[in-house]
Amino acid sequence: FDPCDIRGSDGQRVVEAECATFDVPADPADPDGDTLALFVARIPALTPEPAADAVTIINGGPGASSVSLYVNLEGALSALRRNRDVIVMDQRGTGRSAPLDCPALDTATYQFDPATVRAATRHCLDALRHDPRLFTTSLAVEDLERLRRQLGYRQWNLYGVSYGTRVAQHYLRRYPDAVRSVILDGVVPPDLALGPDVALNAQTTLDGILERCGQADYCAAAFPDPAGQFQRLRERLRASPVTLETPDPVTGRSREVTLSDSHLAMTVRLLSYAPETAALIPLVVHEADTGNFTPLAGQAMRIEAQLQSAISFGMHNSVVCTEDVPFYGDLTALQPALEAAYLGADQVRALETICGLWPRGVRHDDLAEPLRSDRPVLLLSGEFDPITPPAYAERAAAGLTRSRHLVAPGQGHGVIARGCVPQIAEDFIEAAAVDDLDTACLDRLAADPFFVDLLGPPP
């Protein structure tokens, strides 16, 4: 390890750390073959005599950098290093660990066209420097175990968020004696194939956001019919996309932007992930419905830029085309509900189109089996999570005999940094037990007030 600075996903926030590369076999079945250099950061414990076990952070996506996640959430996660080292490794295919980037696929699925998606997929596969079959959850957990042994830690305390909860649960399944405790945040049950329910969960969350606006007098007065406005706007943009010249919120340069119903759907979906951005949705929809498309365009450009810089889409495809899409089954009965949702069925169609060309990778036979474990597990959910609702955590907890599920009121996807949750997480890891956690402070959490104009919520 050498001293280094690690950066967040926006490239601006910096944390001092110690960095190294860790060489692993690209294909564990061929230990004498090619290797991958995985990027590892160590944030040393604050105590001079750290515990023999360490904390490790696993990001979601699939395709997002775990190192960047630590930096983004350093204010909340730094408490975990009070008595323990924090070790963060970019999962193979992400961040600085042989990333499988696919610029051609970044935007090809916004307005789904089968020919465009197939062409972008072929272009991506032709440009990859590594075999995409070797970038899956099954191999990622083997990398994590090699790292633990290399560094000499007795056990891991695992924190996984979103897709990272799948990695954490599979690591626990394969290496139970190497795990001291687990925090699962925005939980994906092991036996769930992600994809078909995404549009349905997103629709439920949006319905709830607009309903809450109608129940708040100040929001209802500003936006008497937010659901109707959203539907009108969606139909208008589907029939005739709108082109405008507007400043890019990231660079400040003027850009010509064409907004379609797919851009609306993508923007609303990502805004609904966090309470402070969900509070913008009725206003952004109202402004666009009444002719001012600048707020919608600004949010769409900001989100698009974040996704392109945060996700390695090649690694994402390697995971979902191995672990999810092949197990969708017959979706005929679900089709009407998908078509009625604001995201529609295009995301599922795009994934099926990509995976028709993308090769299936290495997958352990037990990857999708319900997990049974007696290790202490803390499960965290946001009340209004649009992609991994609290019911998912309940499903995952069924086989976890020493677990506790906490639902953060008013919150969205990923709650480790919300309110008093960092303190709860620290207490849990310190004790490696769920029985005596003081969680009364969660009652103080709530959804953010809605913006009623461009200046914000009412006084």
Side-chain angles (χ1 to χ4, degrees):
F1 284 94
D2 293 311
C4 64
D5 290 337
I6 52 177
R7 294 182 178 273
S9 55
D10 63 1
Q12 303 300 315
R13 186 174 176 83
V14 177
V15 171
E16 292 183 354
E18 300 169 351
C19 297
T21 55
F22 180 46
D23 290 340
V24 300
D27 183 356
D30 182 17
D32 297 323
D34 293 339
T35 61
L36 299 175
L38 307 185
F39 181 72
V40 183
R42 176 169 63 193
I43 302 90
L46 298 175
T47 179
E49 297 184 6
D53 50 276
V55 176
T56 192
I57 312 296
I58 309 169
N59 203 354
S65 161
S66 297
V67 173
S68 292
L69 175 69
Y70 178 83
V71 179
N72 293 346
L73 300 180
E74 193 260 347
L77 297 178
S78 62
L80 305 183
R81 59 183 286 231
R82 191 184 308 277
N83 295 308
R84 291 170 173 81
D85 294 341
V86 174
I87 304 294
V88 194
M89 178 169 66
D90 278 341
Q91 184 172 330
R92 57 168 63 199
T94 73
R96 288 196 263 175
S97 293
L100 295 189
D101 292 329
C102 283
L105 278 170
D106 286 353
T107 58
T109 58
Y110 287 166
Q111 193 75 43
F112 175 65
D113 173 72
T116 301
V117 172
R118 280 193 291 269
T121 302
R122 291 191 185 98
H123 183 275
C124 176
L125 286 168
D126 290 343
L128 293 179
R129 295 184 297 112
H130 302 285
D131 185 344
R133 295 172 297 180
L134 302 176
F135 292 79
T136 60
T137 301
S138 296
L139 297 188
V141 300
E142 295 181 16
D143 293 339
L144 194 57
E145 175 61 5
R146 284 192 186 87
L147 180 65
R148 183 191 67 83
R149 293 177 180 177
Q150 176 73 18
L151 296 179
Y153 292 109
R154 182 181 302 161
Q155 292 175 306
W156 289 126
N157 299 280
L158 300 167
Y159 168 78
V161 61
S162 195
Y163 158 74
T165 66
R166 177 184 290 176
V167 181
Q169 289 170 92
H170 193 51
Y171 183 90
L172 174 59
R173 184 201 314 278
R174 304 290 289 195
Y175 306 104
D177 293 339
V179 177
R180 180 175 174 272
S181 67
V182 184
I183 300 176
L184 304 175
D185 189 1
V187 186
V188 180
D191 56 333
L192 177 73
L194 276 177
D197 286 348
V198 168
L200 307 183
N201 292 336
Q203 184 66 53
T204 298
T205 295
L206 177 62
D207 291 343
I209 290 169
L210 301 182
E211 182 180 349
R212 293 201 311 275
C213 175
Q215 292 171 349
D217 292 343
Y218 72 91
C219 193
F223 316 117
D225 183 23
Q229 282 194 309
F230 179 79
Q231 188 59 32
R232 285 195 302 273
L233 179 60
R234 182 182 173 213
E235 292 172 358
R236 175 182 175 182
L237 291 175
R238 176 181 295 171
S240 180
V242 171
T243 299
L244 68 155
E245 191 87 14
T246 187
D248 187 305
V250 178
T251 66
R253 301 188 189 95
S254 183
R255 275 183 57 188
E256 183 177 272
V257 180
T258 298
L259 297 173
S260 67
D261 61 315
S262 295
H263 292 90
L264 172 67
M266 177 268 295
T267 302
V268 167
R269 178 192 171 193
L270 272 296
L271 288 177
S272 69
Y273 269 50
E276 57 267 49
T277 51
L280 296 170
I281 291 175
L283 172 66
V284 169
V285 169
H286 171 79
E287 290 292 318
D289 183 54
T290 55
N292 178 16
F293 287 91
T294 299
L296 174 60
Q299 293 298 325
M301 287 188 286
R302 178 185 63 82
I303 289 169
E304 182 178 331
Q306 288 178 340
L307 286 175
Q308 290 175 0
S309 64
I311 299 292
S312 294
F313 282 95
M315 181 272 187
H316 174 276
N317 296 339
S318 290
V319 170
V320 300
C321 293
T322 299
E323 303 170 16
D324 296 294
V325 174
F327 304 97
Y328 282 177
D330 185 1
L331 300 179
T332 303
L334 197 61
Q335 202 69 22
L338 289 175
E339 296 289 358
Y342 77 88
L343 284 177
D346 279 359
Q347 182 187 38
V348 171
R349 294 190 187 106
L351 289 175
E352 289 177 330
T353 301
I354 292 168
C355 295
L357 299 171
W358 207 270
R360 288 199 199 183
V362 177
R363 179 183 178 275
H364 293 150
D365 291 340
D366 57 356
L367 177 72
E369 291 181 6
L371 176 62
R372 301 190 180 281
S373 175
D374 62 358
R375 295 294 175 182
V377 181
L378 178 65
L379 303 99
L380 304 174
S381 297
E383 181 184 9
F384 304 126
D385 188 328
I387 190 165
T388 54
Y392 282 10
E394 291 295 325
R395 178 169 165 177
L400 305 176
T401 58
R402 295 172 61 197
S403 67
R404 186 171 177 183
H405 179 208
L406 303 179
V407 179
Q411 306 306 298
H413 186 58
V415 301
I416 191 67
R418 300 293 176 176
C420 62
V421 178
Q423 183 61 57
I424 294 173
E426 182 185 2
D427 293 345
F428 166 70
I429 289 179
E430 194 62 34
V434 297
D435 301 330
D436 298 322
L437 291 177
D438 182 0
T439 63
C441 57
L442 288 178
D443 294 338
R444 295 194 291 271
L445 289 175
D448 284 32
F450 290 102
F451 276 50
V452 294
D453 56 36
L454 297 177
L455 297 178

